[in-house]
Amino acid sequence: MITILVIGIGTGSPDQLTTEAVAALNRTDLFLVPDKGADKHHLATLRRELCESVIDHDRYRFIEVPDPVRGSDADRGSAAYRAAVVGWHAERARRYAATIRDLLGADGTVGFLVLGDPSLYDSTIRIAESIRDDGGLSLKIEVVPGISSLSLLAARHRITLNRVGLPVHVTTGRRLVEEYRPELGDVAVMLDGSLHCKGLLPEYPDLTIYWGAQLGLPEEVLISGRLADVIDSIEDARSAARASRGWVLDIYLLRPSG
Ligand SMILES: C[S@@+](CC[C@H](N)C(=O)[O-])C[C@H]1O[C@@H](n2cnc3c(N)ncnc32)[C@H](O)[C@@H]1O
């Protein structure tokens, strides 16, 4: 029997790993990591270094599996975007199933390392289900939670994500401007490569923003304040973070005033 462990590894630093995640990393025979090309090789390196820092044996393999190319999502509408993602996941699952069959046969433990928590904007659980359902392998899936970037953002700013008795809405940069209204409550925004909150400035300049980039890493940066007052500093800090590491991961919460 194959066991797939979907392991939340927090935001990249060993300090953000739970004891349960460390135990799961130590149980794994074969880590499968997507090879997303030279531009994103830092993500594979980060995972490899994390394994080296907490696994107390060398009986594991760390294999980078070439990721299928999806092409640009920029011009896709929502339906085309979802269709592209579904096809891409199916091909990824097929490649992973083939690698598991080649390297483990019918027995062993496979680990997938998920940044943050597997429950939030991550497809690994769905891909593991496809490997099980379509890949012709007898396997079970276990999920180990991780500290999400959303939890870390709130902790670093020393805030709760919602105000008393009010909702919190989690969305992506590409959806923000279209769906924003104050009745949503506090709005957390992930996967925003171009600070779409700038599109809210004309109508909602008084929103409070709590922004964080490279959370959990040594160069972590935090900015908060009235959106109209701090957006320029956030843009500058974002560019500086990208320049220093070659990439930037950031997340923010928008809180209505009053
Ligand atoms: C594909 S989603 C994965 C989210 C992840 N599963 C989680 O629980 O945080 C990637 C997005 O998470 C956020 N993110 C992940 N790591 C981050 C970090 N270290 N600092 C700030 N934001 C981060 C960014 O919004 C990024 O675009």
Side-chain angles (χ1 to χ4, degrees):
M1 167 77 94
I2 297 285
T3 301
I4 290 189
L5 300 175
V6 179
I7 308 167
I9 57 170
T11 48
S13 142
D15 290 345
Q16 300 297 323
L17 281 174
T18 66
T19 313
E20 189 182 4
V22 173
L25 294 173
N26 275 280
R27 276 170 63 197
T28 299
D29 303 309
L30 172 65
F31 291 100
L32 294 181
V33 180
D35 174 359
K36 292 171 180 278
D39 281 2
K40 297 201 171 163
H41 200 254
H42 60 273
L43 291 172
T45 306
L46 188 136
R47 288 170 165 94
R48 190 187 287 273
E49 288 172 358
L50 206 60
C51 286
E52 287 167 359
S53 69
V54 299
I55 297 179
D56 58 17
H57 61 82
D58 56 9
R59 300 181 303 281
Y60 65 91
R61 278 182 287 183
F62 194 97
I63 301 291
E64 295 183 30
V65 180
D67 223 24
V69 178
R70 185 165 93 207
S72 168
D73 291 322
D75 298 327
R76 291 182 173 131
S78 292
Y81 171 73
R82 273 196 297 276
V85 171
V86 167
W88 182 61
H89 287 167
E91 176 56 20
R92 271 177 128 184
R94 200 190 58 70
R95 294 182 185 195
Y96 288 138
T99 309
I100 294 168
R101 242 190 315 271
D102 285 352
L103 298 182
L104 287 185
D107 284 303
T109 303
V110 178
F112 286 100
L113 307 179
V114 176
L115 275 183
D117 183 76
S119 69
L120 200 55
Y121 288 111
D122 189 86
S123 303
T124 311
I125 294 174
R126 276 188 291 273
I127 290 171
E129 287 169 347
S130 298
I131 297 172
R132 180 191 61 202
D133 300 340
D134 309 332
L137 285 164
S138 165
L139 60 82
K140 65 174 179 162
I141 300 168
E142 293 177 28
V143 178
V144 178
I147 297 174
S148 76
S149 51
L150 198 49
S151 302
L152 203 51
L153 178 78
R156 292 297 198 249
H157 281 287
R158 299 181 297 276
I159 56 170
T160 52
L161 291 174
N162 64 291
R163 287 158 305 146
V164 179
L166 294 178
V168 58
H169 180 81
V170 184
T171 192
T172 62
R174 62 187 275 137
R175 300 179 60 97
L176 175 68
V177 174
E178 189 187 320
E179 69 191 12
Y180 184 78
R181 54 197 199 295
E183 297 73 40
L184 290 172
D186 288 4
V187 174
V189 185
M190 306 176 72
L191 290 161
D192 187 352
S194 41
L195 291 173
H196 282 85
C197 55
K198 285 182 289 184
L200 299 178
L201 276 170
E203 217 177 331
Y204 302 108
D206 294 330
L207 286 170
T208 300
I209 184 168
Y210 297 92
W211 175 85
Q214 320 296 55
L215 295 170
L217 298 172
E219 67 274 29
E220 178 176 284
V221 46
L222 301 170
I223 294 178
S224 63
R226 182 176 170 266
L227 183 61
D229 295 342
V230 297
I231 190 69
D232 290 345
S233 336
I234 290 175
E235 281 205 284
D236 291 347
R238 199 175 189 282
S239 304
R242 184 194 288 283
S244 100
R245 219 178 238 255
W247 52 272
V248 59
L249 287 173
D250 64 337
I251 181 170
Y252 53 91
L253 184 80
L254 296 171
R255 174 158 291 176
S257 56

